[in-house]
Amino acid sequence: MLDWLKQINKETPDFWKVYLTKFGKKSNRYVVLSTETSGMNLSKDVILSIGAFAIIDDTIYIKDSFEAVLLQYKFLHDNHLSNEFIIESTLPKLAEVDAIKAFIDYLGNAVLVGHHIDFDVDMINATLERLDCGRLKNEALDIDIMHRKYHDITDKEFSLDKLGDAYKVERSERNTATEAAYTIALLFLKLKSRLGLK
């Protein structure tokens, strides 16, 4: 059978069909996202871990969170990289397909928030493409762009550490996706207030 015909006849996964039904109305829920990846190349690198928190009515809901380490043994083996990170992590460990399914279910139609969120979204979209799904439909807000808008800065970007210093938000010494997501959530609430966003 021709490759293009195989492509046309592929069945969309059920979790993706359910996700697409959730966009009938606007959400009042934000999901603050951070990912750790093996690198910056969308076609070659993979997501190693995901950390996320929900914000509703300007409150971070710690119980409404998502954490996972993605089991990427084949990628690590093929690239001669250590899997020490996976072995030592105490977070839930899931196969890539299971982690993405669970995250998409958790995300729903929430507005995504992140630091340089376009990269996180692009990495998730690259993973979704491998699973024969479409691209994320969620709106997205970036705290770096919010900071630059607040200060009318157009010529540079700011690291998460620099933003933390600017708004007196201390970062944990543990540099995990979950810790980064929590820092981003605190910064988002400060910037949201200063920009007068509802």
Side-chain angles (χ1 to χ4, degrees), residues 15-30:
F15 82 92
W16 190 252
K17 291 176 186 174
V18 171
Y19 166 75
L20 293 176
T21 67
K22 297 181 179 181
F23 288 87
K25 62 178 183 174
K26 189 169 173 63
S27 178
N28 69 336
R29 180 171 172 260
Y30 296 92

Side-chain angles (χ1 to χ4, degrees), residues 3 15 19 21 30 35 38 57 61 77 94-95 111 114 116 135 145 163 178-180 193:
D3 284 343
F15 82 92
Y19 166 75
T21 67
Y30 296 92
T35 62
S38 60
D57 296 330
Y61 284 85
H77 178 268
L94 300 170
V111 176
H116 301 157
R135 300 171 65 78
I145 293 171
L163 292 175
T178 303
E179 294 289 339
S193 172

Side-chain angles (χ1 to χ4, degrees), residues 105-168:
D105 183 54
Y106 166 78
L107 173 62
N109 68 338
V111 176
L112 274 168
V113 177
H115 178 255
H116 301 157
I117 191 68
D118 286 352
F119 176 71
D120 295 307
V121 168
D122 286 344
M123 285 298 290
I124 290 170
N125 283 337
T127 305
L128 288 167
E129 187 177 332
R130 289 194 293 274
L131 302 176
D132 299 319
C133 299
R135 300 171 65 78
L136 288 177
K137 291 175 53 88
N138 306 72
E139 293 179 47
L141 296 171
D142 189 299
I143 60 166
D144 183 36
I145 293 171
M146 292 171 74
H147 169 73
R148 288 185 277 143
K149 181 175 181 176
Y150 182 66
H151 291 282
D152 198 24
I153 298 169
T154 58
D155 59 346
K156 64 179 180 177
E157 294 183 346
F158 294 85
S159 69
L160 195 53
D161 286 334
K162 289 285 186 193
L163 292 175
D165 291 345
Y167 295 96
K168 297 181 176 45

Side-chain angles (χ1 to χ4, degrees), residues 1-9:
M1 189 180 284
L2 298 171
D3 284 343
W4 64 268
L5 193 53
K6 285 181 188 174
Q7 207 57 31
I8 290 171
N9 291 327

Side-chain angles (χ1 to χ4, degrees), residues 16 22 30 51 56 64 88 114 127 137 160 174 176 188 194 198:
W16 190 252
K22 297 181 179 181
Y30 296 92
I56 302 172
D64 187 0
E88 290 188 358
T127 305
K137 291 175 53 88
L160 195 53
R174 291 176 58 223
T176 66
F188 171 67
R194 293 186 189 196
K198 297 291 182 192

